[in-house]
Amino acid sequence: RKPLSGKLYLYDINNNIINDYRSISYVPQSSNLAGFSIFDMITFGNPYLLNYKSDKDIENKIRNTLEICCVLNNFITCLEEIHKPLGEGGSSLSGGQKQRILLARALLQNNHIFVLDEATSGLDQNLEQTVIENITDNLKSKILLCVTHRKQITKYFDKVLEISNE
């Protein structure tokens, strides 16, 4: 949404002003997931993904993104499992699993800017580092802003701004 007051200027990787805030993916610490399956959750608001069974490029994009976010080969074993019912809003999923699905949904939107606001706080340290490393390796042409309390993942970012009360 647009700022309530003041001015905010956002620039893409080529230093062009971004006027469309829909080109920003925001992943909060926790969020409600819409749908009953992983497929419902990752395709929410993204009709481009709906025909993945008839388009190998889209299928590969979904597969790669789910691998990057440690969904595929972690808590699902094959792509067909994305249609398995998980309860309304993923009620059978852990908080960390939900976070990884939110990350996958954001990556599949293919926006210019990604804001991760404690988006991996529900993951154990090793899994968090794997996911962040995977994401930073695969988003080199994007702007990635990560808000975190865990200093150990800052090594994956080019620039780090530390805010403290001291």
Side-chain angles (χ1 to χ4, degrees), residues 7-61:
K7 294 187 183 226
L8 174 67
Y9 297 100
L10 297 171
Y11 298 87
D12 66 16
I13 200 80
N14 298 317
N15 213 26
N16 297 315
I17 292 178
I18 296 173
N19 294 317
D20 184 1
Y21 295 104
R22 290 177 294 186
S23 65
I24 302 169
S25 289
Y26 174 71
V27 183
Q29 181 174 2
S30 62
S31 182
N32 294 329
L33 290 168
F36 289 91
S37 68
I38 292 173
F39 183 74
D40 295 339
M41 295 170 201
I42 63 173
T43 59
F44 183 77
N46 194 344
Y48 164 77
L49 301 173
L50 297 177
N51 296 323
Y52 84 96
K53 287 185 179 182
S54 61
D55 188 324
K56 285 293 181 194
D57 289 337
I58 297 172
E59 180 181 337
N60 288 334
K61 184 168 182 59

Side-chain angles (χ1 to χ4, degrees), residues 8-159:
L8 174 67
Y9 297 100
L10 297 171
Y11 298 87
D12 66 16
I13 200 80
N14 298 317
N15 213 26
N16 297 315
I17 292 178
I18 296 173
N19 294 317
D20 184 1
Y21 295 104
R22 290 177 294 186
S23 65
I24 302 169
S25 289
Y26 174 71
V27 183
Q29 181 174 2
S30 62
S31 182
N32 294 329
L33 290 168
F36 289 91
S37 68
I38 292 173
F39 183 74
D40 295 339
M41 295 170 201
I42 63 173
T43 59
F44 183 77
N46 194 344
Y48 164 77
L49 301 173
L50 297 177
N51 296 323
Y52 84 96
K53 287 185 179 182
S54 61
D55 188 324
K56 285 293 181 194
D57 289 337
I58 297 172
E59 180 181 337
N60 288 334
K61 184 168 182 59
I62 290 173
R63 180 185 312 281
N64 292 338
T65 301
L66 293 176
E67 288 173 352
I68 289 167
C69 296
C70 295
V71 173
L72 186 59
N73 302 322
N74 191 289
F75 66 90
I76 65 170
T77 57
C78 63
L79 195 58
E80 291 73 33
E81 288 184 22
I82 65 174
H83 296 287
K84 184 173 84 176
L86 300 170
E88 186 174 349
S91 60
S92 66
L93 298 172
S94 71
Q97 290 170 328
K98 289 178 182 179
Q99 284 185 323
R100 287 179 279 162
I101 291 170
L102 287 167
L103 287 165
R105 180 173 68 191
L107 295 181
L108 287 165
Q109 291 171 346
N110 199 29
N111 285 328
H112 298 295
I113 298 176
F114 295 85
V115 179
L116 310 181
D117 187 0
E118 295 286 349
T120 56
S121 62
L123 308 180
D124 67 54
Q125 183 176 350
N126 291 333
L127 186 54
E128 177 183 49
Q129 288 189 18
T130 299
V131 170
I132 292 295
E133 183 176 13
N134 290 348
I135 289 172
T136 55
D137 284 349
N138 285 280
L139 292 180
K140 296 235 184 262
S141 64
K142 309 287 184 176
I143 296 171
L144 179 62
L145 174 66
C146 180
V147 178
T148 185
H149 287 94
R150 297 182 180 172
K151 282 188 172 186
Q152 62 269 23
I153 65 169
T154 61
K155 67 184 178 186
Y156 298 104
F157 299 92
D158 297 329
K159 296 178 183 170

